[in-house]
Amino acid sequence: MNRSDFQLRLRELSAGDKRLLLVCFAAALIALALGVLFGAATGLVRARLIDLPALEGYRLMTLHGVTVFFYWLYFAQAGLLLVFSVTRAEGGDGIAWRPAAWAGVALMIAGFVLSETGAARGLPLLYDASPELTAPGTPGTASVYLGYLLLAAGLFGVAAAAVATVLAPVFAGRSASLTTVGFASLSWAGLLAVSALAAVNAFLPAARWALGMGPTPQDYSTGWHILFHNMHYLPLMATVLTWYVIVQLLTGVESIFGARFSKIVFASYLVFVPPTSLYHMFLEPNLAGSVRVAGSLLSLFISVPTVLVFLIIVASLETHARARGALGLFGWMRQLPWRNPAMSAIGMAVLTLAAGGALSFVLIQEKLAPLLSDTFFVPGYFHFLTVGTVTLTFLGALCYVLPAITGRPLWRPGLLANLSYWAAAGVTLFGAAGVAAGYLGVPRRMLDVGYEGAAPGIWALLLSAVGIGGVVMALALLVYVFGLVRSALPRASTRAAAPLPEVDLGGVALDRSRAWTGPLSILVLIGVMAIFTMLAFETMKALPLAAIGGAAH
């Protein structure tokens, strides 16, 4: 599908379908803005730039994790999944099973309210809400678990509507086959449904216990690890599918490997993601040795689908650009529309994914996981992925999708394009300082790590850098949210906006052998992973005390 068809299908949606999508994206942007504010405040508390009682500091930390990880990421995914489903269902007629979609979004909003209320008024349980930190009848505890359960029910409803939207034209005989993106949307919806069931498995026993209706949850940490693993990698699948769609719309370039290969790659998420959750359990003291070995082996495959989609996109772009005369190793990149906010966001997302991905392979090694999992290494590397990769990608996609839905021009596209670079710079400072702090043993979930003056001086310096990077990142994201909200609101002026920068690299004879950048990038990534791993071993060995961490991902 070309860009005009994509935009036309969104413009021709019924008023009810548009309203549903806008409600979903509005909830996503509200969650992002609140989560960013909570996160920035938490960073300032950790950096000792503002002073709060410990309980309130941990409450901010809890609200940040709950709001961003559970609600921003999944409101955005719900909306984009419906967008891709309805635009790529050849012969479709809007969102199918609309009541299920509306009910899903409504349940997610109700869950958001309950989770926020519970975290704000009860004990700060952090985002994994371990029952060990609270007791039945404690104010807010049941609200947190019930909120998560409503979120799960809502995701299941949205996933069902997306599946029905993609398949309805096929069953009605209006389409003979599924498009690549339609097929990928089915895989994405399937993983969303699986994650919803995993959430019920983890939180239903805890909710019954918190309400005084059941016994103490057994094996809560195991259920959490399974859920967390799926909710960790689902946004990555959504991210690379968004790259696949938006890059094609911006450049006119389709995969040079064909639709069948792309479908196989997206289907491989269903093969590689669910079984690889074992490495999240490395910190469990009674985990069998055979399970540890299996987890280590399976962890090597977790990035296979994401790397393959990256190679498809980069090789396709590079081959088309070189066919149009691009020279040099990176000269083909100059032909891409970097002044378009969607393109600049994807570009920064790719770079931060490389950094976060290389660091993640350090953490999922059996020998290093106990040393690093309870250090600031985790939030350091994780923000490369959640903010630099996933959040920037979703914001860039909204820059493309919202104007098509509302018919209104994008607010200050030049500024929005530059915000991607500022956000990436903030993430890089936050992440680099955080990873370095983790290597030097800074605890992960302690707000005051001064140890009454006994802590190394470098700790305070690194946490100050974390705080500064967090502020830069937060300001960029908040302006981004403002710009998207402003774009969706009616304006006094009705003057048509200039079209956003796009290119057309298609329609030329291709030579696949000239696509070098993708394979070279993977080789560099492997080298960087090896360097980070050796640095981790040497640095952690040099620490005066090596402690085995708790089971806290």
Side-chain angles (χ1 to χ4, degrees):
M1 176 186 294
N2 59 41
R3 62 186 68 124
S4 59
D5 290 338
F6 180 89
Q7 294 168 341
L8 180 62
R9 289 197 179 185
L10 288 180
R11 283 198 300 269
E12 291 183 343
L13 287 176
S14 68
D17 284 351
K18 289 182 179 179
R19 192 177 302 115
L20 170 63
L21 294 174
L22 290 175
V23 167
C24 192
F25 289 136
L29 293 175
I30 290 171
L32 177 59
L34 288 174
V36 166
L37 291 172
F38 294 141
T42 304
L44 292 175
V45 171
R46 290 203 64 130
R48 307 304 297 273
L49 297 176
I50 60 175
D51 189 25
L52 281 179
L55 188 64
E56 298 309 312
Y58 287 112
R59 193 182 309 282
L60 285 173
M61 187 184 294
T62 298
L63 285 166
H64 171 61
V66 169
T67 307
V68 171
F69 185 71
F70 278 97
Y71 289 99
W72 149 243
L73 293 182
Y74 285 88
F75 276 124
Q77 283 188 72
L80 289 174
L81 174 60
L82 291 174
V83 165
F84 293 161
S85 299
V86 78
T87 55
R88 296 308 171 108
E90 300 291 345
D93 183 25
I95 298 174
W97 290 12
R98 294 178 183 87
W102 271 110
V105 173
L107 287 170
M108 292 172 68
I109 292 173
F112 181 37
V113 173
L114 276 178
S115 294
E116 295 290 291
T117 302
R121 63 187 289 264
L123 288 174
L125 303 179
L126 305 182
Y127 72 130
D128 54 333
S130 173
E132 296 177 358
L133 298 178
T134 185
T138 302
T141 298
S143 292
V144 171
Y145 294 130
L146 291 174
Y148 285 164
L149 289 173
L150 289 178
L151 170 65
L155 287 175
F156 198 92
V158 170
V163 170
T165 301
V166 173
L167 294 181
V170 177
F171 290 153
R174 296 192 299 269
S175 178
S177 62
L178 295 175
T179 65
T180 299
V181 177
F183 180 86
S185 297
L186 289 180
S187 300
W188 182 5
L191 277 179
L192 270 180
V194 169
S195 297
L197 295 175
V200 173
N201 175 66
F203 297 129
L204 182 57
R208 295 181 68 247
W209 167 78
L211 292 168
M213 299 170 58
T216 301
Q218 299 297 316
D219 296 324
Y220 181 86
S221 62
T222 299
W224 164 255
H225 289 316
I226 294 171
L227 167 67
F228 176 79
H229 177 76
N230 283 283
M231 299 195 85
H232 187 174
Y233 286 98
L234 251 176
L236 279 181
M237 179 183 184
T239 294
V240 296
L241 177 56
T242 301
W243 293 353
Y244 191 94
V245 173
I246 300 299
V247 167
Q248 179 181 336
L249 294 172
L250 292 177
T251 64
V253 170
E254 297 184 359
S255 170
I256 61 174
F257 301 100
R260 177 176 295 179
F261 182 72
S262 296
K263 290 178 180 179
I264 292 172
V265 171
F266 283 115
S268 68
Y269 274 95
L270 300 173
V271 176
F272 287 109
V273 171
T276 52
S277 61
L278 289 176
Y279 75 79
H280 288 285
M281 305 177 195
F282 280 159
L283 305 187
E284 300 291 344
N286 57 352
L287 193 66
S290 59
V291 177
R292 293 180 184 275
V293 172
S296 295
L297 293 174
L298 287 171
S299 68
L300 298 175
F301 297 101
I302 190 61
S303 66
V304 169
T306 302
V307 168
L308 287 176
V309 177
F310 166 78
L311 288 174
I312 289 172
I313 295 171
V314 171
S316 300
L317 288 174
E318 183 176 6
T319 301
H320 281 81
R322 292 193 185 283
R324 289 185 173 272
L327 301 174
L329 182 59
F330 301 112
W332 63 274
M333 294 184 185
R334 298 191 188 97
Q335 297 191 19
L336 302 179
W338 294 111
R339 295 182 62 191
N340 190 305
M343 190 73 243
S344 65
I346 291 174
M348 292 301 97
V350 169
L351 293 179
T352 52
L353 176 61
L359 291 165
S360 69
F361 271 91
V362 176
L363 186 64
I364 64 179
Q365 296 180 52
E366 180 194 354
K367 300 300 182 183
L368 285 173
L371 299 177
L372 290 172
S373 287
D374 275 341
T375 72
F376 210 85
F377 180 98
V378 173
Y381 102 88
F382 201 57
H383 278 72
F384 277 114
L385 300 176
T386 54
V387 178
T389 300
V390 179
T391 295
L392 276 183
T393 295
F394 289 171
L395 289 173
L398 290 179
C399 287
Y400 198 92
V401 167
L402 280 179
I405 296 174
T406 65
R408 302 184 183 106
L410 190 65
W411 177 82
R412 299 196 178 184
L415 173 60
L416 293 177
N418 289 329
L419 283 175
S420 299
Y421 305 116
W422 282 102
V427 168
T428 301
L429 178 57
F430 180 101
V435 167
Y439 278 154
L440 295 175
V442 175
R444 166 187 172 191
R445 286 178 164 175
M446 290 182 61
L447 290 175
D448 184 0
V449 296
Y451 292 101
E452 298 181 350
I458 189 66
W459 282 17
L461 180 62
L462 287 171
L463 290 178
S464 295
V466 166
I468 295 170
V471 169
V472 173
M473 174 173 54
L475 289 175
L477 293 178
L478 288 173
V479 176
Y480 227 130
V481 170
F482 173 82
L484 288 169
V485 172
R486 187 70 184 85
S487 301
L489 296 176
R491 304 190 189 184
S493 173
T494 58
R495 185 180 61 182
L500 296 179
E502 295 175 343
V503 297
D504 188 357
L505 300 179
V508 290
L510 304 177
D511 180 3
R512 296 184 188 179
S513 65
R514 302 184 66 192
W516 312 314
T517 308
L520 180 61
S521 299
I522 302 305
L523 291 176
V524 172
L525 182 64
I526 293 172
V528 172
M529 286 164 45
I531 292 172
F532 282 152
T533 300
M534 290 187 291
L535 181 63
F537 273 117
E538 295 302 317
T539 304
M540 299 301 287
K541 279 167 44 179
L543 292 178
L545 177 66
I548 300 298
H553 275 302

